[in-house]
Amino acid sequence: MKSEEFASLLVAAQGGGEPAFAQLWRDANPALLRYLRVIAPGAEEDIAAETWVQVVRGLRSFRGDEQAWRAWLFTTARRRAIDLARHRARRPEAPLDDVAVAQLPRTEDSAEVALEHLSTAAAIALVSGLPRLQAEVILLRVVAGLDTESVARLLQKSPGAVRVAAHRGLRRLAQLTADAGVTL
Amino acid sequence: MTGTGVPNGDMPNFPHLPLQDESAVTDADLAALLAGKRDVGPRLQPVADVLAALSTEPSAGELMGEARALAEFRRRTGVPVPLRLVRRGTAGVTSRLSTKVATGATAAAVLLGGAATAAFADALPAPIQRFAHDAIGAPYTPAATQHVPAHAKPVAPAGPLASRGMPKASAKPHAAGRHAKRHGQSQQGNGQGQGNVQGQGNGQGQGQGQQDNGQGTPRTQPSGVPHGQGQSDGQGQGRQGNGLGNPHAEGQYGDPHNPGQQGSPHPNPKPAPRHARPARHAPTMDT
């Protein structure tokens, strides 16, 4: 998305324009879900929804370009994921052993989605095998499209540490793909 | 044979590790990968494919939550209103006004409370203190009369009406008793005394309140015979302490260090002027 286009969409959304907000949502939500699948597997839908609720609340007061917008979005999502992890640690849930698989909620097109995007799911699974910091850095750089400085601020690390983590993650990813013979 | 006498084929099962070509992957290549370039070397091609798969077009499943997000957006935004109009809304004005009123009321309360506290502590400048004295009954002691004699140190209480508390080091019973005003409030210490002194003349009546926030009811007065005129009448027992007051005393003066002192039973028929300045020292005992 071009910067001018983003700026006009943001202004329109801040003024209450629903189509503009929908376009912003469609542009960012897939990346958000892919990031959340790695750092909060199984809860990505809920966390993304909560993230957007929070974003809508603060949309009028937001100021910044697309980079800042994405940084805000992913920072909010990451905080929600951390909150959820803490909540689960305090109140662990019992597994649903008594519920049959057929009774589990599912979407109608979940199988179709899985087949269509098997390569994306495999890529997310590979990245999930990396250490947490390396996986987050790669996802925020590649999926979210943030630069090194923004990622450093988001993760509260130094830019040098982010670069090192990214390079180590890529080297590790190369080794994993070579060992597993992954073909996407 | 090797140099150490070991045959070359002695360890045929030991795998020969191929040299790892780490130099083939440079930081520049990795940076290019992160930047989105996909034409990298064959060693990094699988990684490039993984990164490309992470950035593919969104699936339908990833866009299913749009309706929910839009519903939240509609609920939050409602009727689109420009920011400027929102800021000028009635609710905003009312809220800001209430905040200002509350802030002003709080500040006024703090200021008035502090001023009153300072007034009753006799810590204000003389003109203001006098005004406070007239307005709210705060103690007022002219600066010239605040001198504390050296012998005005508290002594151990004695007598049946002695103070229940020990006198404080800062107590100045002498001065306080001497300058008690018509409101019967002394600013020395925390006590307030009320005396029913009837000593007239040049005898100095003295009311003494009990120390430490008490109210004394001095019964008396008598004390010395300053200037050789008149004697105070009545008999009093001054309480030790610093809270002294004598709302009705005239020409009062006494010696708080001598509780239980006996005064002359004969009042002086010639009362002294209302503000007669008593002798500072040498209160003598009429015993």
Side-chain angles (χ1 to χ4, degrees):
Chain A
M1 187 182 299
K2 293 180 180 179
S3 60
E4 297 82 7
E5 183 185 3
F6 171 79
S8 61
L9 284 176
L10 180 64
V11 170
Q14 287 176 330
E18 190 173 318
F21 177 75
Q23 192 163 345
L24 289 175
W25 185 90
R26 284 193 294 269
D27 178 66
N29 193 62
L32 195 64
L33 286 176
R34 292 172 189 180
Y35 170 69
L36 289 172
R37 281 191 189 115
V38 174
I39 68 168
E44 63 269 12
E45 298 281 352
D46 292 336
I47 294 176
E50 292 178 9
T51 301
W52 282 107
V53 169
Q54 201 160 344
V55 166
V56 168
R57 287 177 185 165
L59 184 61
R60 288 183 185 274
S61 58
F62 173 77
R63 298 289 182 273
D65 56 4
E66 186 178 5
Q67 190 79 197
W69 160 260
R70 285 180 167 263
W72 178 41
L73 198 63
F74 281 84
T75 299
T76 304
R78 187 171 186 269
R79 287 176 180 164
R80 300 304 302 165
I82 292 173
D83 291 343
L84 180 65
R86 288 174 179 164
H87 179 73
R88 285 182 174 176
R90 288 195 301 267
R91 302 174 66 179
E93 297 176 356
L96 299 175
D97 292 334
D98 297 334
V99 179
V101 175
Q103 296 174 332
L104 290 174
R106 65 184 186 91
T107 58
E108 293 179 357
D109 58 346
S110 57
E112 183 181 353
V113 169
L115 289 175
E116 278 184 4
H117 300 278
L118 184 59
S119 60
T120 301
I124 291 175
L126 271 175
V127 174
S128 299
L130 296 176
R132 172 68 178 262
L133 177 61
Q134 297 175 12
E136 273 199 88
V137 166
I138 289 176
L139 286 168
L140 291 171
R141 289 295 314 276
V142 175
V143 177
L146 300 177
D147 56 20
T148 302
E149 285 71 21
S150 298
V151 174
R153 281 193 297 271
L154 196 154
L155 298 177
Q156 298 179 346
K157 303 285 184 183
S158 67
V162 169
R163 289 191 191 91
V164 169
H167 289 183
R168 286 180 180 172
L170 290 177
R171 291 178 192 275
R172 175 79 175 153
L173 206 55
Q175 189 174 352
L176 286 175
T177 54
D179 291 345
V182 173
T183 54
L184 298 174
Chain B
M1 295 288 283
T2 63
T4 56
V6 177
N8 287 332
D10 192 48
M11 300 176 69
N13 295 327
F14 190 78
H16 176 71
L17 295 175
L19 291 176
Q20 301 217 352
D21 190 10
E22 289 291 341
S23 60
V25 180
T26 63
D27 287 347
D29 294 334
L30 298 176
L33 270 178
L34 291 174
K37 292 182 179 180
R38 300 291 177 257
D39 52 346
V40 291
R43 183 176 176 79
L44 288 178
Q45 193 57 48
V47 180
D49 293 339
V50 170
L51 298 184
L54 290 174
S55 307
T56 54
E57 291 295 316
S59 65
E62 291 170 334
L63 297 175
M64 283 192 310
E66 182 176 358
R68 182 178 173 183
L70 290 180
E72 180 65 23
F73 179 77
R74 278 192 294 270
R75 192 176 72 84
R76 286 285 171 185
T77 57
V79 179
V81 179
L83 284 176
R84 282 173 292 182
L85 294 181
V86 170
R87 287 174 184 165
R88 291 175 185 172
T90 305
V93 170
T94 304
S95 175
R96 277 177 286 167
L97 187 60
S98 300
T99 303
K100 288 181 179 178
V101 169
T103 305
T106 303
V110 170
L111 285 176
L112 289 177
T117 303
F120 279 100
D122 197 12
L124 296 174
I128 303 175
Q129 186 68 35
R130 182 160 193 162
F131 173 76
H133 170 71
D134 294 335
I136 59 174
Y140 171 64
T141 303
T145 61
Q146 288 185 349
H147 170 69
V148 179
H151 65 278
K153 294 180 180 177
V155 296
L161 296 178
S163 171
R164 288 186 291 266
M166 291 300 293
K168 293 181 178 179
S170 60
K172 299 174 182 176
H174 200 128
R178 190 176 59 199
H179 301 297
K181 293 299 178 182
R182 59 188 169 92
H183 295 290
Q185 293 173 343
S186 169
Q187 60 219 15
Q188 303 293 337
N190 297 324
Q192 288 186 348
Q194 291 182 350
N196 295 323
V197 179
Q198 295 178 354
Q200 300 294 325
N202 224 5
Q204 290 82 19
Q206 173 182 0
Q208 294 182 344
Q210 72 181 36
Q211 192 160 358
D212 296 338
N213 301 322
Q215 286 190 347
T217 306
R219 296 178 179 174
T220 164
Q221 276 334 303
S223 76
V225 186
H227 306 297
Q229 295 181 0
Q231 295 179 347
S232 34
D233 53 352
Q235 173 179 353
Q237 291 180 338
R239 289 188 179 186
Q240 183 69 34
N242 56 356
L244 301 176
N246 186 355
H248 306 294
E250 295 181 356
Q252 55 190 345
Y253 189 73
D255 187 356
H257 302 291
N258 293 285
Q261 56 189 326
Q262 291 281 335
S264 170
H266 305 293
N268 191 340
K270 293 180 180 180
R274 182 180 182 86
H275 296 292
R277 184 177 181 85
R280 288 195 165 203
H281 305 292
T284 57
M285 301 295 295
D286 288 339
T287 54

